[in-house]
Amino acid sequence: MKKIITILAVCLLTSFGVQAQQKIGHINSQLLLSIMPEMKKAQEDVKKFAQTFQTKLTTMQTEYDAKVKKLQSEANGMSDAIKEVQIKEIQDLEGRIVQLSKTGEKQVSEKEQELAAPIIKKADVAIKAVAKEQGFSYVIDSSTGALLHAEDKDNIIGAVKAKLGIK
């Protein structure tokens, strides 16, 4: 029995010694990405891309409003056949507006992901390089809310910014 307790004590002390040697760092990856010049450029490009859809939607909405207003003002003097044709045109235009809106949202999202992917990979490579250089066993992303406690001295954002050439 005494041998078992001794063996358990040695195992516990050994495991505590191993844990004490592990170094944990933290970084706010959202902050890092927001200050990377490449991400700022990507966001501007996505905004310009989205603006093309917004311009087209605005033009179509103006056309839609004009057709509805014209139908409302001239409805009393129109034959039922002409009213039906104009209502059908308005409904078709409404459908195209809805479709362009959905397509635009999807394409803007895809463009955003396409432009952000290499930037995120670059940040990830830099974080891993700094962690290795500074001997961190773990780096926790404090922007995800998974961080319970962190010492400021372990924040590696300064070193990662330097690695990326960001001031």
Side-chain angles (χ1 to χ4, degrees):
M1 182 72 163
K2 206 172 197 185
K3 283 184 180 184
I4 294 175
I5 293 174
T6 305
I7 291 172
L8 284 175
V10 170
C11 288
L12 284 174
L13 291 174
T14 304
S15 68
F16 285 132
V18 170
Q19 287 178 347
Q21 293 172 356
Q22 293 179 341
K23 196 172 172 185
I24 300 173
H26 66 93
I27 187 168
N28 184 327
S29 65
Q30 295 302 316
L31 174 61
L32 176 64
L33 290 173
S34 74
I35 61 176
M36 291 177 70
E38 300 95 325
M39 188 59 84
K40 292 177 182 177
K41 170 85 170 79
Q43 289 171 337
E44 289 172 12
D45 291 349
V46 168
K47 188 175 180 180
K48 287 177 187 175
F49 185 71
Q51 188 59 44
T52 60
F53 286 101
Q54 188 58 47
T55 300
K56 182 67 176 169
L57 283 169
T58 301
T59 302
M60 291 172 77
Q61 186 64 46
T62 302
E63 180 184 350
Y64 175 85
D65 292 342
K67 285 186 178 212
V68 168
K69 187 175 182 179
K70 180 181 177 189
L71 178 63
Q72 288 173 341
S73 67
E74 299 175 1
N76 291 336
M78 287 185 192
S79 68
D80 288 342
I82 294 175
K83 279 184 200 177
E84 286 181 32
V85 169
Q86 289 192 354
I87 289 171
K88 177 71 173 133
E89 286 177 11
I90 290 170
Q91 289 172 338
D92 289 346
L93 182 56
E94 183 178 11
R96 290 195 325 265
I97 290 170
V98 169
Q99 185 60 40
L100 181 63
S101 179
K102 288 179 182 177
T103 301
E105 285 179 23
K106 181 180 178 202
Q107 288 184 6
V108 167
S109 177
E110 289 171 355
K111 183 74 162 180
E112 189 173 35
Q113 290 174 2
E114 171 192 330
L115 294 176
I119 300 165
I120 293 168
K121 182 167 178 61
K122 181 179 179 180
D124 185 53
V125 167
I127 290 168
K128 288 177 180 171
V130 167
K132 186 174 182 179
E133 290 168 7
Q134 294 190 7
F136 287 101
S137 298
Y138 302 98
V139 175
I140 299 169
D141 185 352
S142 59
S143 65
T144 62
L147 185 64
L148 298 175
H149 176 76
E151 296 289 334
D152 286 337
K153 66 181 174 89
D154 289 335
N155 190 340
I156 64 170
I157 194 161
V160 174
K161 284 172 41 182
K163 186 75 161 178
L164 293 170
I166 300 171
K167 295 182 180 181

